């Protein structure tokens, strides 16, 4: 697969992504736009317990061994908890609404994550979430953007993907 600057996929079109494009062996980075319907207290491995407010979250990760398997795993609820994001995505109240896929490049995951962190309203709920092996100084690879019912959160979601398309 040849990448443009990024590829944005809504949850309704994810089947087409996996059927129409062979991502199995394609490395890359991605950002998940996640909505959480209710606030939840969650234990996240060794990071401990955190209260995740209701609203919109953006998680950025990488899959240098292949995007398809990683993204399919993120969309599966029943799985062995391996990464920090698994603890959030296992909740029935959590839903991946959109995915942005970026081309592989040196330090791409952290560069994209830092762009998202710089957006107005980006808040860290739990330090080191998804960033326990980060060498770039990221506070977290998961950011909270407010209530998903607010116009502000929806506008910020658009900003995130506008930013992604300029990568």
């Amino acid at each position: 697969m040849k990448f443009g600057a990024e590829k944005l996929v809504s949850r309704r079109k994810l089947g087409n992504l996996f059927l129409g494009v062979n991502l199995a062996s394609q490395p890359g980075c991605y950002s998940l736009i996640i909505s959480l319907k209710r606030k939840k207290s969650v234990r996240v491995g060794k990071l401990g317990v955190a209260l995740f407010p209701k609203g919109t979250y953006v998680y950025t990760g990488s899959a240098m061994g292949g995007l398809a398997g990683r993204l399919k795993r993120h969309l599966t609820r029943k799985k062995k908890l391996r990464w920090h994001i698994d603890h959030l995505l296992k909740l029935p109240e959590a839903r991946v609404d959109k995915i942005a896929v970026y081309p592989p490049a040196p330090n791409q995951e952290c560069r994209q994550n830092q762009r998202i962190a710089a957006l107005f309203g980006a808040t860290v709920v739990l330090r080191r979430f998804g960033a326990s092996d980060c060498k770039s100084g990221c506070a977290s690879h998961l950011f909270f953007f407010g209530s998903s019912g607010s116009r502000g959160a929806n506008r910020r979601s658009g900003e995130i993907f506008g930013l992604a398309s300029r990568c």
Side-chain angles (χ1 to χ4, degrees):
M1 168 183 178
K2 296 211 177 199
F3 285 99
E6 58 81 35
K7 182 172 182 63
L8 175 63
V9 181
S10 71
R11 184 171 180 86
R12 289 182 293 281
K13 294 182 181 175
L14 287 174
N16 295 339
L17 172 69
F18 295 123
L19 294 174
V21 179
N22 179 11
L23 293 177
S25 62
Q26 295 296 322
C29 298
Y30 58 90
S31 291
L32 306 176
I33 300 292
I34 303 163
S35 58
L36 187 62
K37 294 178 188 174
R38 283 188 288 268
K39 69 179 178 180
K40 293 296 285 186
S41 181
V42 179
R43 172 170 289 285
V44 181
K46 294 178 182 178
L47 295 180
V49 177
L51 180 64
F52 290 86
K54 170 188 172 180
T56 302
Y57 292 82
V58 179
Y59 171 78
T60 302
S62 62
M64 293 308 151
L67 284 164
R70 181 67 53 87
L71 296 177
K72 284 181 183 180
R73 185 179 198 285
H74 286 323
L75 298 173
T76 303
R77 294 225 188 260
K78 291 186 178 186
K79 59 190 160 207
K80 183 178 178 182
L81 302 179
R82 180 175 179 179
W83 292 293
H84 295 148
I85 192 64
D86 293 341
H87 297 272
L88 184 61
L89 293 179
K90 75 174 182 175
L91 300 173
E93 297 86 359
R95 177 180 169 93
V96 175
D97 292 323
K98 294 182 181 174
I99 301 172
V101 179
Y102 315 105
N107 207 28
Q108 176 73 352
E109 177 182 355
C110 290
R111 281 188 292 125
Q112 181 60 30
N113 185 64
Q114 290 166 359
R115 288 179 180 115
I116 292 168
L119 292 174
F120 179 77
T123 305
V124 173
V125 172
L126 183 58
R127 290 188 58 74
R128 307 303 297 154
F129 188 105
S132 55
D133 62 347
C134 177
K135 307 270 192 281
S136 299
C138 297
S140 179
H141 278 215
L142 178 76
F143 292 95
F144 175 65
F145 283 92
S147 175
S148 58
S150 73
R151 285 186 351 203
N154 291 334
R155 186 178 73 245
R156 283 187 293 274
S157 177
E159 291 171 5
I160 291 161
F161 287 113
L163 181 62
S165 66
R166 294 192 305 269
C167 294

